[in-house]
């Protein structure tokens, strides 16, 4: 399933936010673990270790007091020591061991499950020491009772004292083992906390860098994805200024790429439409010019053709009269005949001009029938062979043998071909090569008439089919305009391609029969 651009950008930034959220959650979790670890050490193991140290100190003091009691020879002093020991030592020791056991149970309430076995072992050890102190109290009481008599039995005192010292040594060893276990546990927890803190720091830094890299990547990807928007805006601005050649060329399948392709298609459509409108405007201008030519031609026909006919007739009568007239000399007769011949030529030229205007004003509707265009071209080339050979023009016939018939008026088609051949000959005053080719297309037949003459500039080619536009001295500028008009009436077209100094090619297209 294809995701939209907005969805993909949202998902990219959602991944970034989730990554940062996970980093934050990991950091908070590790901080919480460290806090519990600190609480376990500071409020648990350290206090229990202090209690164990106090018990050890108290027990050491008691050992010294017991030793001094046993060595005291004064009965009254010994009795005072006994009273003090009975009053002070057993209750205080019992109270401290009870407090230590209670603290162990409190630590067990907030300690992690992994520490439960050790804390339970501590509680049991405190309980065992407490039990041992109760035994110690009973043995100490026997010693105190024996020593309190005026004449203590030395053998009983020695036996009870040995048992008391043995219990004191055993209890002291258990207290030291307990304190060492607590110290080792505190050191282990501190070392683990430091190692975990270092590991956590490395992980947090690594995850943070990864999240930053992911955020930068998402930002760069978003910027790269949205970069075509600037190109699209520039293209819209260019279209707004009338430049329809703007093409974005954005690749991809997201919304921006699809929009860019639609924009390119719109630009091409607008460009084609502008070219079509321009061509229609040029055609309209030519039609207006042709309409003006028609009106002028009608006036010329009305005002000039009849007088020209009278002048031509009168000149012919004069020529007949000159045949019977006499002149003082042959030179005078020749001069008069040359003048009349010049008048006749000018009258014929003017009649030809009026004929062009008449064709422009009232173009005959073509009689469309299937015609063999290669046969028409052969006939026109054969008719013009002598004229082309005198001009030094080599003719190359490149007719496709599969050229189909076309719908055309043969007379009008011959007129177009003759006009184009004449233009090509005049474009090669020093001779050259004229290539006439045919090529079948899907719906049309293409005829190309190419010469190796002087060619023409772009400015000349742009105005080539406009009425009255000519680059030849004495030309009317109507030959190509009439030829194009004839081909358009046939449903075809006439175009020109030319390179200055290399030649010109006229391309005709006629519909298939």
């Amino acid at each position: 399933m294809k995701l939209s651009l907005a969805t993909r950008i949202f998902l990219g930034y959602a991944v970034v936010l989730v990554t940062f959220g996970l980093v934050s959650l990991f950091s908070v979790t590790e901080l919480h673990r460290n806090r519990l670890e600190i609480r376990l050490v500071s409020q648990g193991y350290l206090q229990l270790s202090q209690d164990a140290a106090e018990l050890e100190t108290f027990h050491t003091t008691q050992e010294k007091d017991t030793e001094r009691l046993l060595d005291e020879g004064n009965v009254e002093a010994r009795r005072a020591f006994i009273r003090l020991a009975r009053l002070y030592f057993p209750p205080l020791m019992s109270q401290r061991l009870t407090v230590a056991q209670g603290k162990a149970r409190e630590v067990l309430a907030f300690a992690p499950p992994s520490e439960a076995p050790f804390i339970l072992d501590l509680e049991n050890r405190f309980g065992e020491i407490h039990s041992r102190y109760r035994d110690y109290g009973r043995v100490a009481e026997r010693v105190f009772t024996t020593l309190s008599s005026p004449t203590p039995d030395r053998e009983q005192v020695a036996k009870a004292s040995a048992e008391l010292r043995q219990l004191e040594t055993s209890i002291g060893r258990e207290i030291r083992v307990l304190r060492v276990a607590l110290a080792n546990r505190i050191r282990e927890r501190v070392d683990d906390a430091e190692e975990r803190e270092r590991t956590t720091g490395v992980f947090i830094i690594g995850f943070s860098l990864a999240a930053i890299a992911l955020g930068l990547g998402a930002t760069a990807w978003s910027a790269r994805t949205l970069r075509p928007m600037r190109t699209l805006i520039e293209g819209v601005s260019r279209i707004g200024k009338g430049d329809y050649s703007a093409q974005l060329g954005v690749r991809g399948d997201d919304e921006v790429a699809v929009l860019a392709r639609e924009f390119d298609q719109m630009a091409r459509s607008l460009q084609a439409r502008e070219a079509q409108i321009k061509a229609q405007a040029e055609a309209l201008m030519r039609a207006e010019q042709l309409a003006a030519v028609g009106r002028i031609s009608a006036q010329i026909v009305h005002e000039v053709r009849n007088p020209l006919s009278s002048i031509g007739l009168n000149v012919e009568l004069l020529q007949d009269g000159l045949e019977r007239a006499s002149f003082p000399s042959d030179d005078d007769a020749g001069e008069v005949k040359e003048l009349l011949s010049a008048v006749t030529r000018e009258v014929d030229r003017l009649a030809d001009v009026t004929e062009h205007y008449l064709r422009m004003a009232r173009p005959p509707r073509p009689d469309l029938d299937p015609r063999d265009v290669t046969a028409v071209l052969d006939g026109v080339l054969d008719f013009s062979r002598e004229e082309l050979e005198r001009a030094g023009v080599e003719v190359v016939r490149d007719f496709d043998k599969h050229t189909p018939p076309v719908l055309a008026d043969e007379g009008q088609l011959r007129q177009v071909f003759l006009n184009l051949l004449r233009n090509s000959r005049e474009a090669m005053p020093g001779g050259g090569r004229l290539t006439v080719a045919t090529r079948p297309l899907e719906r049309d037949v293409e005829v190309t008439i190419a010469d190796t003459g002087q060619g023409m500039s772009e400015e000349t080619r742009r105005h080539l089919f406009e009425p009255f536009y000519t680059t030849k001295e004495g030309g009317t500028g109507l030959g190509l305009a009439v030829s194009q008009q004839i081909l358009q009436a046939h449903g075809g077209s006439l175009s020109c391609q030319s390179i200055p100094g290399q030649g010109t090619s006229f391309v005709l297209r006629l519909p298939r029969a």
Side-chain angles (χ1 to χ4, degrees):
M1 181 180 65
K2 293 183 179 179
L3 299 177
S4 65
L5 180 62
T7 303
R8 280 186 283 177
I9 293 177
F10 172 77
L11 289 178
Y13 282 102
V15 170
V16 174
L17 291 176
V18 169
T19 304
F20 276 105
L22 292 176
V23 172
S24 301
L25 181 61
F26 177 77
S27 303
V28 171
T29 303
E30 290 302 317
L31 288 175
H32 180 68
R33 289 183 60 186
N34 289 337
R35 185 176 65 82
L36 292 178
E37 193 72 28
I38 293 172
R39 183 183 178 188
L40 175 64
V41 173
S42 63
Q43 298 181 16
Y45 292 159
L46 280 177
Q47 292 189 8
L48 291 174
S49 179
Q50 291 174 359
D51 292 340
E54 290 177 358
L55 288 173
E56 184 179 13
T57 302
F58 187 78
H59 182 74
T60 302
T61 302
Q62 180 62 31
E63 286 180 335
K64 292 179 181 180
D65 291 342
T66 301
E67 189 68 27
R68 187 169 56 181
L69 175 65
L70 294 175
D71 293 339
E72 182 63 46
N74 189 293
V75 176
E76 293 299 328
R78 188 166 58 241
R79 288 177 178 176
F81 284 141
I82 290 173
R83 285 194 301 269
L84 182 63
R86 284 174 174 171
L87 178 67
Y88 175 70
F89 181 72
L92 184 60
M93 198 66 175
S94 176
Q95 180 183 1
R96 291 189 175 183
L97 285 170
T98 302
V99 170
Q101 282 184 296
K103 287 184 179 179
R105 284 190 291 272
E106 291 177 1
V107 172
L108 184 63
F110 62 81
S114 60
E115 292 296 308
F118 178 75
I119 297 172
L120 290 174
D121 182 64
L122 287 178
E123 186 179 359
N124 293 331
R125 287 187 180 187
F126 279 119
E128 290 177 1
I129 294 172
H130 198 183
S131 176
R132 296 294 297 276
Y133 257 108
R134 284 195 293 269
D135 295 338
Y136 176 81
R138 287 191 294 270
V139 173
E141 184 61 30
R142 287 200 302 268
V143 173
F144 294 158
T145 302
T146 303
L147 290 175
S148 297
S149 64
T151 57
D153 186 352
R154 292 184 179 275
E155 185 177 352
Q156 291 182 356
V157 170
K159 183 178 179 181
S161 298
E163 185 178 0
L164 182 64
R165 287 192 178 95
Q166 185 178 1
L167 279 174
E168 285 180 345
T169 302
S170 176
I171 291 171
R173 184 170 56 251
E174 290 181 4
I175 292 175
R176 285 192 294 274
V177 170
L178 178 62
R179 186 176 60 80
V180 170
L182 279 169
N184 291 336
R185 196 65 174 181
I186 290 172
R187 186 167 53 253
E188 289 177 2
R189 300 305 299 182
V190 170
D191 292 341
D192 290 344
E194 291 178 351
E195 181 65 25
R196 188 164 53 253
E197 183 181 4
R198 287 192 294 269
T199 305
T200 301
V202 171
F203 274 109
I204 289 176
I205 293 173
F207 288 155
S208 299
L209 292 177
I212 292 172
L214 187 61
L216 293 176
T219 302
W221 177 80
S222 300
R224 181 176 177 272
T225 303
L226 296 176
R227 188 181 304 163
M229 293 298 294
R230 182 179 301 175
T231 307
L232 187 62
I233 293 172
E234 293 175 355
V236 171
S237 177
R238 289 174 61 184
I239 287 225
K241 295 177 181 178
D243 182 9
Y244 300 121
S245 62
Q247 291 292 306
L248 304 181
V250 177
R251 298 180 179 179
D253 55 356
D254 54 28
E255 291 91 332
V256 176
V258 173
L259 181 61
R261 286 195 292 271
E262 292 296 328
F263 176 85
D264 290 344
Q265 181 61 36
M266 180 191 69
R268 288 192 293 269
S269 299
L270 288 175
Q271 190 174 16
R273 185 178 181 84
E274 185 185 32
Q276 183 181 6
I277 292 174
K278 186 176 180 181
Q280 290 176 350
E282 292 177 353
L284 180 61
M285 183 179 64
R286 286 195 297 270
E288 292 177 351
Q289 291 175 339
L290 293 175
V293 170
R295 291 191 295 271
I296 294 172
S297 299
Q299 187 69 22
I300 290 174
V301 170
H302 183 268
E303 299 291 340
V304 176
R305 196 174 188 189
N306 290 335
L308 281 177
S309 299
S310 299
I311 292 171
L313 180 60
N314 291 329
V315 170
E316 290 178 0
L317 292 175
L318 284 174
Q319 286 177 338
D320 292 341
L322 286 176
E323 295 296 332
R324 297 187 299 272
S326 60
F327 293 91
S329 64
D330 292 337
D331 292 337
D332 293 337
E335 183 178 356
V336 172
K337 290 181 180 179
E338 288 178 1
L339 289 173
L340 289 177
S341 296
V343 171
T344 302
R345 287 195 300 272
E346 289 301 317
V347 169
D348 292 339
R349 189 182 69 82
L350 289 175
D352 186 59
V353 170
T354 57
E355 184 65 24
H356 274 294
Y357 278 102
L358 284 174
R359 290 175 184 172
M360 185 67 70
R362 295 191 299 271
R365 179 171 297 178
D367 185 11
L368 300 180
D369 290 313
R371 303 291 181 183
D372 186 353
V373 69
T374 58
V376 177
L377 285 170
D378 281 331
V380 172
L381 289 173
D382 292 340
F383 177 77
S384 305
R385 179 183 302 162
E386 183 178 352
E387 179 183 357
L388 294 172
E389 289 177 352
R390 282 200 308 267
V393 175
E394 176 189 358
V395 177
V396 178
R397 307 187 189 196
D398 185 15
F399 301 152
D400 192 299
K401 61 181 180 179
H402 299 295
T403 302
V406 298
L407 284 175
D409 185 311
E410 183 175 352
Q412 294 186 7
L413 201 56
R414 288 176 61 87
Q415 178 185 349
V416 171
F417 289 152
L418 284 171
N419 189 22
L420 295 178
L421 292 175
R422 185 180 303 111
N423 285 341
S424 297
R425 177 184 58 77
E426 292 174 353
M428 298 183 289
R433 185 173 65 255
L434 177 65
T435 302
V436 182
T438 62
R439 183 167 66 99
L441 301 178
E442 183 179 355
R443 296 182 179 179
D444 302 321
V445 173
E446 184 179 88
V447 179
T448 303
I449 300 176
D451 62 60
T452 57
Q454 301 172 352
M456 64 185 74
S457 65
E458 181 64 25
E459 180 68 20
T460 301
R461 192 186 65 81
R462 189 162 53 247
H463 299 286
L464 195 62
F465 298 104
E466 295 179 3
F468 310 115
Y469 181 83
T470 181
T471 58
K472 296 182 291 187
E473 185 178 355
T476 62
L478 295 174
L480 290 176
V482 172
S483 298
Q484 189 182 55
Q485 187 180 27
I486 290 173
L487 286 172
Q488 289 176 348
H490 280 68
S493 64
L494 174 63
S495 60
C496 175
Q497 300 172 356
S498 183
I499 300 176
Q502 297 185 20
T504 302
S505 296
F506 286 96
V507 180
L508 300 84
R509 287 192 177 181
L510 292 164
R512 287 188 176 203

